mmCIF file of all heavy atoms in Angstrom:
data_model
loop_
_atom_site.group_PDB
_atom_site.id
_atom_site.type_symbol
_atom_site.label_atom_id
_atom_site.label_comp_id
_atom_site.label_asym_id
_atom_site.label_seq_id
_atom_site.Cartn_x
_atom_site.Cartn_y
_atom_site.Cartn_z
ATOM 1 N N GLY R 1 21.800 -8.081 -14.119
ATOM 2 C CA GLY R 1 23.188 -8.346 -13.763
ATOM 3 C C GLY R 1 23.980 -7.129 -13.353
ATOM 4 O O GLY R 1 25.157 -7.239 -13.005
ATOM 5 N N ASP R 2 23.345 -5.965 -13.385
ATOM 6 C CA ASP R 2 24.065 -4.720 -13.133
ATOM 7 C C ASP R 2 23.428 -3.908 -12.002
ATOM 8 O O ASP R 2 23.716 -2.738 -11.846
ATOM 9 C CB ASP R 2 24.108 -3.888 -14.417
ATOM 10 C CG ASP R 2 25.061 -2.707 -14.332
ATOM 11 O OD1 ASP R 2 26.165 -2.879 -13.778
ATOM 12 O OD2 ASP R 2 24.697 -1.611 -14.793
ATOM 13 N N ARG R 3 22.568 -4.518 -11.244
ATOM 14 C CA ARG R 3 21.865 -3.785 -10.192
ATOM 15 C C ARG R 3 22.721 -3.660 -8.938
ATOM 16 O O ARG R 3 23.432 -4.578 -8.554
ATOM 17 C CB ARG R 3 20.562 -4.494 -9.844
ATOM 18 C CG ARG R 3 19.515 -4.423 -10.944
ATOM 19 C CD ARG R 3 18.306 -5.248 -10.625
ATOM 20 N NE ARG R 3 17.308 -5.133 -11.688
ATOM 21 C CZ ARG R 3 16.258 -5.921 -11.809
ATOM 22 N NH1 ARG R 3 16.050 -6.894 -10.927
ATOM 23 N NH2 ARG R 3 15.414 -5.754 -12.810
ATOM 24 N N PRO R 4 22.637 -2.510 -8.256
ATOM 25 C CA PRO R 4 23.300 -2.408 -6.956
ATOM 26 C C PRO R 4 22.646 -3.366 -5.969
ATOM 27 O O PRO R 4 21.477 -3.722 -6.106
ATOM 28 C CB PRO R 4 23.074 -0.943 -6.563
ATOM 29 C CG PRO R 4 21.863 -0.512 -7.335
ATOM 30 C CD PRO R 4 21.897 -1.289 -8.611
ATOM 31 N N ARG R 5 23.404 -3.798 -4.984
ATOM 32 C CA ARG R 5 22.873 -4.773 -4.019
ATOM 33 C C ARG R 5 22.489 -4.090 -2.715
ATOM 34 O O ARG R 5 23.150 -3.154 -2.258
ATOM 35 C CB ARG R 5 23.902 -5.879 -3.762
ATOM 36 C CG ARG R 5 25.108 -5.438 -2.950
ATOM 37 C CD ARG R 5 26.094 -6.579 -2.702
ATOM 38 N NE ARG R 5 27.182 -6.177 -1.829
ATOM 39 C CZ ARG R 5 28.271 -5.556 -2.240
ATOM 40 N NH1 ARG R 5 28.434 -5.269 -3.522
ATOM 41 N NH2 ARG R 5 29.211 -5.224 -1.359
ATOM 42 N N TRP R 6 21.418 -4.561 -2.138
ATOM 43 C CA TRP R 6 20.930 -4.024 -0.872
ATOM 44 C C TRP R 6 21.491 -4.856 0.269
ATOM 45 O O TRP R 6 21.319 -6.076 0.312
ATOM 46 C CB TRP R 6 19.416 -4.034 -0.831
ATOM 47 C CG TRP R 6 18.831 -3.645 0.492
ATOM 48 C CD1 TRP R 6 18.237 -4.467 1.405
ATOM 49 C CD2 TRP R 6 18.803 -2.333 1.066
ATOM 50 N NE1 TRP R 6 17.832 -3.758 2.504
ATOM 51 C CE2 TRP R 6 18.170 -2.436 2.331
ATOM 52 C CE3 TRP R 6 19.248 -1.085 0.633
ATOM 53 C CZ2 TRP R 6 17.969 -1.335 3.145
ATOM 54 C CZ3 TRP R 6 19.053 0.008 1.458
ATOM 55 C CH2 TRP R 6 18.415 -0.117 2.696
ATOM 56 N N GLU R 7 22.169 -4.200 1.209
ATOM 57 C CA GLU R 7 22.693 -4.863 2.396
ATOM 58 C C GLU R 7 21.818 -4.471 3.572
ATOM 59 O O GLU R 7 21.968 -3.390 4.148
ATOM 60 C CB GLU R 7 24.151 -4.460 2.629
ATOM 61 C CG GLU R 7 25.081 -4.890 1.498
ATOM 62 C CD GLU R 7 26.537 -4.506 1.745
ATOM 63 O OE1 GLU R 7 26.806 -3.789 2.750
ATOM 64 O OE2 GLU R 7 27.405 -4.922 0.954
ATOM 65 N N ALA R 8 20.879 -5.348 3.913
ATOM 66 C CA ALA R 8 19.875 -5.016 4.923
ATOM 67 C C ALA R 8 20.493 -4.730 6.280
ATOM 68 O O ALA R 8 20.052 -3.822 6.996
ATOM 69 C CB ALA R 8 18.853 -6.150 5.020
ATOM 70 N N GLY R 9 21.528 -5.504 6.658
ATOM 71 C CA GLY R 9 22.118 -5.322 7.975
ATOM 72 C C GLY R 9 22.740 -3.949 8.169
ATOM 73 O O GLY R 9 22.710 -3.405 9.274
ATOM 74 N N ARG R 10 23.280 -3.403 7.100
ATOM 75 C CA ARG R 10 23.922 -2.088 7.200
ATOM 76 C C ARG R 10 23.055 -0.976 6.609
ATOM 77 O O ARG R 10 23.475 0.174 6.549
ATOM 78 C CB ARG R 10 25.286 -2.121 6.506
ATOM 79 C CG ARG R 10 26.223 -3.169 7.103
ATOM 80 C CD ARG R 10 27.618 -3.044 6.540
ATOM 81 N NE ARG R 10 28.269 -1.799 6.946
ATOM 82 C CZ ARG R 10 29.513 -1.466 6.604
ATOM 83 N NH1 ARG R 10 30.226 -2.295 5.851
ATOM 84 N NH2 ARG R 10 30.036 -0.323 6.999
ATOM 85 N N ARG R 11 21.876 -1.360 6.152
ATOM 86 C CA ARG R 11 20.905 -0.410 5.594
ATOM 87 C C ARG R 11 21.559 0.475 4.532
ATOM 88 O O ARG R 11 21.497 1.703 4.583
ATOM 89 C CB ARG R 11 20.290 0.451 6.707
ATOM 90 C CG ARG R 11 19.507 -0.363 7.703
ATOM 91 C CD ARG R 11 18.742 0.480 8.671
ATOM 92 N NE ARG R 11 19.582 1.386 9.441
ATOM 93 C CZ ARG R 11 19.269 1.898 10.629
ATOM 94 N NH1 ARG R 11 18.117 1.573 11.185
ATOM 95 N NH2 ARG R 11 20.073 2.724 11.236
ATOM 96 N N ARG R 12 22.135 -0.190 3.545
ATOM 97 C CA ARG R 12 22.794 0.553 2.488
ATOM 98 C C ARG R 12 22.674 -0.169 1.154
ATOM 99 O O ARG R 12 22.462 -1.381 1.097
ATOM 100 C CB ARG R 12 24.260 0.796 2.824
ATOM 101 C CG ARG R 12 25.134 -0.450 2.825
ATOM 102 C CD ARG R 12 26.572 -0.096 3.171
ATOM 103 N NE ARG R 12 27.482 -1.222 2.940
ATOM 104 C CZ ARG R 12 28.804 -1.165 3.068
ATOM 105 N NH1 ARG R 12 29.378 -0.022 3.451
ATOM 106 N NH2 ARG R 12 29.562 -2.223 2.832
ATOM 107 N N LEU R 13 22.822 0.621 0.094
ATOM 108 C CA LEU R 13 22.777 0.135 -1.277
ATOM 109 C C LEU R 13 24.166 0.345 -1.874
ATOM 110 O O LEU R 13 24.701 1.458 -1.823
ATOM 111 C CB LEU R 13 21.729 0.913 -2.069
ATOM 112 C CG LEU R 13 21.369 0.436 -3.467
ATOM 113 C CD1 LEU R 13 20.692 -0.933 -3.428
ATOM 114 C CD2 LEU R 13 20.445 1.447 -4.146
ATOM 115 N N VAL R 14 24.742 -0.733 -2.446
ATOM 116 C CA VAL R 14 26.128 -0.679 -2.910
ATOM 117 C C VAL R 14 26.191 -0.963 -4.406
ATOM 118 O O VAL R 14 25.656 -1.969 -4.880
ATOM 119 C CB VAL R 14 27.002 -1.691 -2.144
ATOM 120 C CG1 VAL R 14 28.455 -1.590 -2.602
ATOM 121 C CG2 VAL R 14 26.907 -1.454 -0.637
ATOM 122 N N TRP R 15 26.854 -0.061 -5.133
ATOM 123 C CA TRP R 15 27.084 -0.245 -6.566
ATOM 124 C C TRP R 15 28.414 -0.949 -6.794
ATOM 125 O O TRP R 15 29.301 -0.945 -5.919
ATOM 126 C CB TRP R 15 27.107 1.105 -7.277
ATOM 127 C CG TRP R 15 25.771 1.711 -7.549
ATOM 128 C CD1 TRP R 15 25.083 1.700 -8.723
ATOM 129 C CD2 TRP R 15 24.956 2.457 -6.627
ATOM 130 N NE1 TRP R 15 23.888 2.375 -8.605
ATOM 131 C CE2 TRP R 15 23.787 2.852 -7.315
ATOM 132 C CE3 TRP R 15 25.093 2.816 -5.284
ATOM 133 C CZ2 TRP R 15 22.775 3.592 -6.733
ATOM 134 C CZ3 TRP R 15 24.091 3.548 -4.691
ATOM 135 C CH2 TRP R 15 22.952 3.927 -5.405
ATOM 136 N N ALA R 16 28.582 -1.520 -7.977
ATOM 137 C CA ALA R 16 29.804 -2.255 -8.306
ATOM 138 C C ALA R 16 31.034 -1.362 -8.295
ATOM 139 O O ALA R 16 32.159 -1.847 -8.070
ATOM 140 C CB ALA R 16 29.657 -2.941 -9.667
ATOM 141 N N ASN R 17 30.867 -0.063 -8.534
ATOM 142 C CA ASN R 17 32.016 0.855 -8.571
ATOM 143 C C ASN R 17 32.385 1.406 -7.197
ATOM 144 O O ASN R 17 33.229 2.296 -7.083
ATOM 145 C CB ASN R 17 31.746 2.004 -9.542
ATOM 146 C CG ASN R 17 30.636 2.938 -9.074
ATOM 147 O OD1 ASN R 17 29.987 2.695 -8.049
ATOM 148 N ND2 ASN R 17 30.387 3.998 -9.825
ATOM 149 N N GLY R 18 31.756 0.879 -6.151
ATOM 150 C CA GLY R 18 32.082 1.305 -4.796
ATOM 151 C C GLY R 18 31.219 2.417 -4.244
ATOM 152 O O GLY R 18 31.321 2.759 -3.055
ATOM 153 N N SER R 19 30.351 3.009 -5.062
ATOM 154 C CA SER R 19 29.425 4.018 -4.542
ATOM 155 C C SER R 19 28.431 3.371 -3.594
ATOM 156 O O SER R 19 27.983 2.227 -3.822
ATOM 157 C CB SER R 19 28.697 4.711 -5.692
ATOM 158 O OG SER R 19 29.584 5.503 -6.450
ATOM 159 N N THR R 20 28.057 4.115 -2.555
ATOM 160 C CA THR R 20 27.194 3.567 -1.516
ATOM 161 C C THR R 20 26.144 4.590 -1.111
ATOM 162 O O THR R 20 26.463 5.763 -0.895
ATOM 163 C CB THR R 20 28.013 3.177 -0.266
ATOM 164 O OG1 THR R 20 29.079 2.295 -0.658
ATOM 165 C CG2 THR R 20 27.138 2.480 0.763
ATOM 166 N N ALA R 21 24.902 4.127 -1.020
ATOM 167 C CA ALA R 21 23.802 4.984 -0.553
ATOM 168 C C ALA R 21 23.271 4.428 0.755
ATOM 169 O O ALA R 21 22.865 3.258 0.813
ATOM 170 C CB ALA R 21 22.701 5.047 -1.603
ATOM 171 N N TYR R 22 23.261 5.246 1.786
ATOM 172 C CA TYR R 22 22.806 4.833 3.109
ATOM 173 C C TYR R 22 21.366 5.307 3.343
ATOM 174 O O TYR R 22 20.999 6.427 2.980
ATOM 175 C CB TYR R 22 23.730 5.407 4.190
ATOM 176 C CG TYR R 22 25.109 4.802 4.173
ATOM 177 C CD1 TYR R 22 26.111 5.341 3.377
ATOM 178 C CD2 TYR R 22 25.399 3.682 4.935
ATOM 179 C CE1 TYR R 22 27.383 4.787 3.340
ATOM 180 C CE2 TYR R 22 26.668 3.109 4.918
ATOM 181 C CZ TYR R 22 27.654 3.672 4.115
ATOM 182 O OH TYR R 22 28.918 3.095 4.080
ATOM 183 N N ALA R 23 20.568 4.449 3.973
ATOM 184 C CA ALA R 23 19.165 4.753 4.241
ATOM 185 C C ALA R 23 19.015 5.447 5.589
ATOM 186 O O ALA R 23 19.601 5.023 6.592
ATOM 187 C CB ALA R 23 18.336 3.476 4.219
ATOM 188 N N PHE R 24 18.205 6.514 5.615
ATOM 189 C CA PHE R 24 17.923 7.250 6.844
ATOM 190 C C PHE R 24 16.422 7.490 6.943
ATOM 191 O O PHE R 24 15.742 7.715 5.941
ATOM 192 C CB PHE R 24 18.655 8.589 6.864
ATOM 193 C CG PHE R 24 20.148 8.475 6.905
ATOM 194 C CD1 PHE R 24 20.883 8.438 5.732
ATOM 195 C CD2 PHE R 24 20.818 8.402 8.120
ATOM 196 C CE1 PHE R 24 22.262 8.325 5.760
ATOM 197 C CE2 PHE R 24 22.203 8.294 8.162
ATOM 198 C CZ PHE R 24 22.928 8.249 6.969
ATOM 199 N N SER R 25 15.935 7.470 8.180
ATOM 200 C CA SER R 25 14.531 7.754 8.436
ATOM 201 C C SER R 25 14.363 9.194 8.904
ATOM 202 O O SER R 25 15.106 9.668 9.774
ATOM 203 C CB SER R 25 13.985 6.811 9.506
ATOM 204 O OG SER R 25 12.708 7.235 9.945
ATOM 205 N N ALA R 26 13.361 9.874 8.356
ATOM 206 C CA ALA R 26 13.058 11.226 8.805
ATOM 207 C C ALA R 26 12.499 11.237 10.221
ATOM 208 O O ALA R 26 12.363 12.313 10.821
ATOM 209 C CB ALA R 26 12.073 11.885 7.848
ATOM 210 N N GLU R 27 12.168 10.073 10.749
ATOM 211 C CA GLU R 27 11.723 9.983 12.140
ATOM 212 C C GLU R 27 12.868 10.247 13.121
ATOM 213 O O GLU R 27 12.627 10.506 14.295
ATOM 214 C CB GLU R 27 11.134 8.588 12.407
ATOM 215 C CG GLU R 27 9.892 8.260 11.603
ATOM 216 C CD GLU R 27 8.668 8.974 12.144
ATOM 217 O OE1 GLU R 27 8.673 9.349 13.333
ATOM 218 O OE2 GLU R 27 7.713 9.173 11.379
ATOM 219 N N ASP R 28 14.106 10.156 12.631
ATOM 220 C CA ASP R 28 15.265 10.281 13.520
ATOM 221 C C ASP R 28 16.251 11.304 12.943
ATOM 222 O O ASP R 28 17.246 10.944 12.322
ATOM 223 C CB ASP R 28 15.943 8.912 13.668
ATOM 224 C CG ASP R 28 17.100 8.940 14.661
ATOM 225 O OD1 ASP R 28 17.264 9.959 15.365
ATOM 226 O OD2 ASP R 28 17.849 7.939 14.722
ATOM 227 N N PRO R 29 15.980 12.599 13.134
ATOM 228 C CA PRO R 29 16.867 13.623 12.562
ATOM 229 C C PRO R 29 18.319 13.495 13.009
ATOM 230 O O PRO R 29 19.237 13.742 12.228
ATOM 231 C CB PRO R 29 16.254 14.939 13.059
ATOM 232 C CG PRO R 29 14.829 14.617 13.372
ATOM 233 C CD PRO R 29 14.841 13.200 13.850
ATOM 234 N N ASP R 30 18.542 13.067 14.263
ATOM 235 C CA ASP R 30 19.903 13.002 14.779
ATOM 236 C C ASP R 30 20.729 11.892 14.150
ATOM 237 O O ASP R 30 21.963 11.881 14.283
ATOM 238 C CB ASP R 30 19.885 12.831 16.301
ATOM 239 C CG ASP R 30 19.505 14.116 17.020
ATOM 240 O OD1 ASP R 30 19.656 15.196 16.409
ATOM 241 O OD2 ASP R 30 19.056 14.048 18.177
ATOM 242 N N SER R 31 20.091 10.954 13.463
ATOM 243 C CA SER R 31 20.867 9.907 12.788
ATOM 244 C C SER R 31 21.708 10.481 11.652
ATOM 245 O O SER R 31 22.654 9.829 11.191
ATOM 246 C CB SER R 31 19.929 8.821 12.241
ATOM 247 O OG SER R 31 19.099 9.340 11.207
ATOM 248 N N LEU R 32 21.378 11.701 11.217
ATOM 249 C CA LEU R 32 22.137 12.349 10.153
ATOM 250 C C LEU R 32 23.300 13.179 10.687
ATOM 251 O O LEU R 32 24.034 13.789 9.912
ATOM 252 C CB LEU R 32 21.206 13.239 9.315
ATOM 253 C CG LEU R 32 20.261 12.467 8.383
ATOM 254 C CD1 LEU R 32 19.069 13.318 7.997
ATOM 255 C CD2 LEU R 32 21.025 12.005 7.146
ATOM 256 N N ARG R 33 23.472 13.217 11.986
ATOM 257 C CA ARG R 33 24.629 13.896 12.554
ATOM 258 C C ARG R 33 25.850 12.993 12.404
ATOM 259 O O ARG R 33 25.813 11.827 12.749
ATOM 260 C CB ARG R 33 24.411 14.201 14.037
ATOM 261 C CG ARG R 33 23.363 15.259 14.304
ATOM 262 C CD ARG R 33 23.249 15.546 15.793
ATOM 263 N NE ARG R 33 22.295 16.603 16.072
ATOM 264 C CZ ARG R 33 22.599 17.902 16.088
ATOM 265 N NH1 ARG R 33 23.851 18.276 15.859
ATOM 266 N NH2 ARG R 33 21.672 18.807 16.337
#
């Protein structure tokens, strides 16, 4: 009941407190710009 949720469309993991982790591929260095 306390797990962050994965939003596949936005490629991110969201916690209940508003923290967000975004997924990036090392195949695309410029995506981190």
Side-chain angles (χ1 to χ4, degrees):
D2 191 41
R3 291 174 179 167
R5 71 179 185 276
W6 173 253
E7 297 181 353
R10 301 188 67 178
R11 297 188 302 204
R12 69 180 191 175
L13 189 65
V14 182
W15 281 260
N17 67 355
S19 292
T20 306
Y22 292 88
F24 295 91
S25 169
E27 297 284 337
D28 184 10
D30 286 339
S31 66
L32 286 159
R33 291 182 177 272

